[in-house]
Amino acid sequence: MPQGNAAAGRTHRRLLSRADNPLVRAVGRLPAGVHAKLLVAFLGTALLMVILGALGLRLFGQSNERVETLGALQQRAFAYGKLRSDALHVRLLLAQNVGGDFYKNFPVPEEEDSAAAGRAIDRATLSAVASIPASTFRDSLGFRPPPEDAAYLQRIRATGERLSRVMEEVTAAGEAGSPRVESLRLKAELLAIDLNQRATELANVTTARADALTAQSQSAYERSRDLFIAAALGAIVLALFLGFVLSWSLIAPIQRIDARLAATASGDFSGHVEVSNRDELGALATNVNRMNDELDRLYKELETASAHKSEFLASMSHELRTPLNAIIGFSQVLREEMFGELNDKQEEYLDDILGSAYHLLSLINDVLDLSRVEAGQTELQLAPFSLRDALESGVVMVRERASEDGVQVELSADPDIDPVEGDERRIRQVVFNLLANAVKFTPEGGSIDVSAARVNGEVRVSVADTGPGVAPDDRERIFEEFQQTDVGVGLGEGTGLGLALSKRFVELHGGRIWVEGVVGGGSRFVFTLPAGTNADVG
């Protein structure tokens, strides 16, 4: 039993989940495009609104019909109530006793006798009963009576006409002093009772119908209200469900594709995105998988080519260094005049040979260092060291050449920058590269400012010069291999490897490097390093 509950719970959660919902997957597998699915969803929602509107109109129409019927019934009940009141008035007149309540309504002079009072009642009764038959016709009622009321009205009309004739006889007999007047009055009273009974029955039946219809209208209103609310809630739930299923049939594949692209961008080509949609998203997922496989193949080829390149550069660097060291060594021997004196021209040529050899050796070392970094063969010798000492050493190395060009080099470092955790030799190389570039591009009479400070938990070093500056389009490019600005190419110095190596070394330390400034306003190269702690000193 617990296992069954657990399985039911998993099924319930799966139905309520998003990407794994079987309905979502079923919608995704439909052989239709995204545009068609969205169109169907919009049309479905519109259809629900139309159905809801039609239901509301139908319910409102029924309610209006009931109101009209109730209004007609109330009009009939009012007319029949007046007819009943007239019939009751006739009956009460006939039931009057001479010397009773009659004199309150029909006062007569004291000298009049009871016979005169009776005749007055008879005349009033005749006048009252004469209007009853006419009140049963359509013109007097103001509406066409329905068939079920017509029979009542016909009997009331017939009784009223008979009562009117009898009252004419009563009035005539009373005027003549005939002894038949009492029997005629009795006959008229019986007819008045029958007339009142029929009018009362008609009025009561109509009132009962109106009351029943009122109760029925109230009940129908409640049912219509509940039906409309239920239909509206059902339409809302259905629209939300339709939106949920359709949206997640589109969102879930997009999320999977996005996750796969993120993994591919990070260098993980091992997985594939699983999308069962038979629409544009399914085709996109197939293309993403194809791209992933192609990138995996190309990446492996690049790794192989990079390994071959690194092997080639290492081999060539070794092969080039051997004869180059021989050239440098023999040139130095000749320059020191160990085998005889040299004339001025020979000394000039030997100086050119040594300068070119040293430049070529520096280029070979840079290429070899860069190849090792790209191949992941460079291991940093991390240890706490004094960054201030490294900066002062770099300034000393370039100051002589800067002085020859009339360039002033200044260093300002906060006292709390030390110690720094890193490979001191590589950081010194970065500092020297930046300073050498600054000296090379700073015109005569310019200045170079070197500064270092702790900023937001890291050490920030900057080398600012008053040279020509770097154009915005070149700020990223100059950190690539063998890339230089137009000014650098024009000077004819350097190979475009110094900044590329500096960027690799800084990033190996977990830092960043960038350039700031405007064209014609100088440059400011900045790099950051993780800051050490005072416990690292010593």
Side-chain angles (χ1 to χ4, degrees):
M1 188 66 179
Q3 294 180 353
N5 291 337
R10 286 193 298 270
T11 302
H12 181 68
R13 286 192 298 270
R14 185 183 179 191
L15 288 174
L16 293 180
S17 64
R18 299 169 179 176
D20 294 334
N21 193 305
L23 293 175
V24 173
R25 290 183 174 273
V27 171
R29 285 194 292 267
L30 290 175
V34 175
H35 176 75
K37 292 178 181 178
L38 291 175
L39 183 61
V40 169
F42 294 149
L43 290 177
T45 304
L47 181 61
L48 289 175
M49 298 301 296
V50 169
I51 294 175
L52 186 62
L55 177 62
L57 289 177
R58 183 172 179 272
L59 294 177
F60 292 151
Q62 292 176 348
S63 177
N64 186 55
E65 290 177 359
R66 288 192 294 269
V67 169
E68 291 179 353
T69 304
L70 181 60
L73 269 176
Q74 290 176 341
Q75 182 182 7
R76 286 158 52 193
F78 176 77
Y80 297 156
K82 183 176 183 304
L83 187 62
R84 178 182 59 185
S85 177
D86 293 343
L88 178 61
H89 178 60
V90 171
R91 180 184 173 187
L92 291 177
L93 286 175
L94 285 173
Q96 294 288 340
N97 291 321
V98 176
D101 292 337
F102 169 78
Y103 294 107
K104 298 178 181 179
N105 300 316
F106 301 96
V108 296
E110 294 181 357
E111 62 271 13
E112 292 287 338
D113 56 9
S114 60
R119 288 194 297 273
I121 293 175
D122 292 338
R123 286 193 296 273
T125 303
L126 177 61
S127 177
V129 77
S131 62
I132 291 179
S135 300
T136 61
F137 289 101
R138 175 183 177 182
D139 294 339
S140 298
L141 293 173
F143 58 85
R144 180 188 295 275
E148 61 270 18
D149 294 348
Y152 281 103
L153 292 173
Q154 185 176 2
R155 287 194 293 269
I156 291 172
R157 188 183 310 115
T159 303
E161 290 173 350
R162 288 176 58 194
L163 179 58
S164 180
R165 288 195 296 271
V166 172
M167 287 308 302
E168 289 177 355
E169 293 178 5
V170 170
T171 302
E175 294 292 341
S178 174
R180 296 179 57 246
V181 66
E182 295 298 331
S183 62
L184 290 172
R185 285 176 179 170
L186 178 61
K187 181 179 180 182
E189 185 176 2
L190 294 175
L191 288 174
I193 292 173
D194 184 53
L195 177 65
N196 179 66
Q197 182 177 358
R198 293 180 185 279
T200 301
E201 184 176 354
L202 176 60
N204 290 341
V205 168
T206 305
T207 302
R209 289 175 184 168
D211 293 341
L213 184 59
T214 300
Q216 181 183 358
S217 298
Q218 180 65 25
S219 177
Y221 165 76
E222 295 177 355
R223 289 197 304 271
S224 300
R225 179 196 61 194
D226 296 341
L227 177 61
F228 186 79
I229 292 175
L233 291 176
I236 292 173
V237 171
L238 188 58
L240 291 176
F241 178 74
L242 182 63
F244 168 82
V245 173
L246 182 62
S247 63
W248 276 107
S249 70
L250 303 178
I251 294 174
I254 292 175
Q255 290 180 337
R256 296 193 189 101
I257 293 172
D258 179 69
R260 181 63 257 166
L261 288 174
T264 301
S266 64
D268 179 14
F269 307 104
S270 59
H272 277 177
V273 57
E274 299 295 335
V275 175
S276 59
N277 289 40
R278 298 172 63 184
D279 50 25
E280 291 87 348
L281 294 177
L284 178 61
T286 301
N287 291 331
V288 168
N289 291 331
R290 186 180 297 116
M291 179 195 69
N292 181 83
D293 295 340
E294 183 65 16
L295 288 176
D296 186 23
R297 183 185 67 80
L298 293 175
Y299 187 75
K300 290 178 180 178
E301 291 181 358
L302 287 175
E303 285 184 334
T304 302
S306 178
H308 291 165
K309 182 193 73 172
S310 299
E311 293 175 0
F312 170 77
L313 290 175
S315 175
M316 288 302 297
S317 297
H318 177 71
E319 295 297 330
L320 289 172
R321 278 178 176 177
T322 301
L324 189 58
N325 287 329
I327 293 173
I328 293 174
F330 288 126
S331 297
Q332 290 175 340
V333 170
L334 292 175
R335 186 66 180 82
E336 293 175 359
E337 300 181 354
M338 297 178 63
F339 296 98
E341 296 183 358
L342 301 174
N343 56 38
D344 293 340
K345 204 63 175 178
Q346 289 172 336
E347 289 180 357
E348 181 183 351
Y349 288 160
L350 283 174
D351 289 339
D352 291 340
I353 292 173
L354 284 171
S356 298
Y358 283 128
H359 178 71
L360 183 58
L361 181 61
S362 176
L363 175 61
I364 293 172
N365 289 334
D366 287 346
V367 171
L368 184 59
D369 287 340
L370 188 61
S371 64
R372 285 175 178 173
V373 171
E374 291 180 345
Q377 298 175 355
T378 300
E379 295 184 2
L380 299 179
Q381 303 298 321
L382 299 179
F385 70 96
S386 173
L387 179 61
R388 185 180 183 88
D389 291 344
L391 294 175
E392 290 177 350
S393 176
V395 170
V396 170
M397 293 175 66
V398 301
R399 182 164 284 165
E400 181 178 356
R401 179 181 173 183
S403 299
E404 294 176 356
D405 295 336
V407 176
Q408 185 177 2
V409 182
E410 298 292 339
L411 170 63
S412 62
D414 291 348
D416 62 344
I417 62 170
D418 291 331
V420 173
E421 182 81 14
D423 189 324
E424 183 175 4
R425 185 172 69 88
R426 299 301 185 186
I427 298 303
R428 286 177 179 271
Q429 188 173 351
V430 172
V431 172
F432 178 77
N433 286 339
L434 296 181
L435 286 171
N437 279 344
V439 172
K440 180 172 62 175
F441 289 105
T442 301
E444 185 176 354
S447 62
I448 299 173
D449 293 323
V450 183
S451 62
R454 285 179 180 260
V455 180
N456 297 328
E458 61 184 7
V459 175
R460 182 170 297 182
V461 179
S462 67
V463 178
D465 61 55
T466 56
V470 180
D473 295 339
D474 294 333
R475 292 179 183 175
E476 296 291 336
R477 186 175 62 86
I478 59 176
F479 290 102
E480 299 176 3
E481 298 87 347
F482 304 104
Q483 297 294 325
Q484 299 185 69
T485 63
D486 295 337
V487 177
V489 174
L491 291 176
E493 298 184 24
T495 58
L497 291 177
L499 290 178
L501 270 174
S502 299
K503 183 175 186 294
R504 301 298 193 280
F505 289 151
V506 170
E507 290 177 347
L508 284 175
H509 282 81
R512 300 171 294 123
I513 185 170
W514 68 93
V515 61
E516 301 172 351
V518 295
V519 176
S523 301
R524 181 171 179 263
F525 285 83
V526 186
F527 71 91
T528 64
L529 294 173
T533 61
N534 292 334
D536 296 327
V537 178

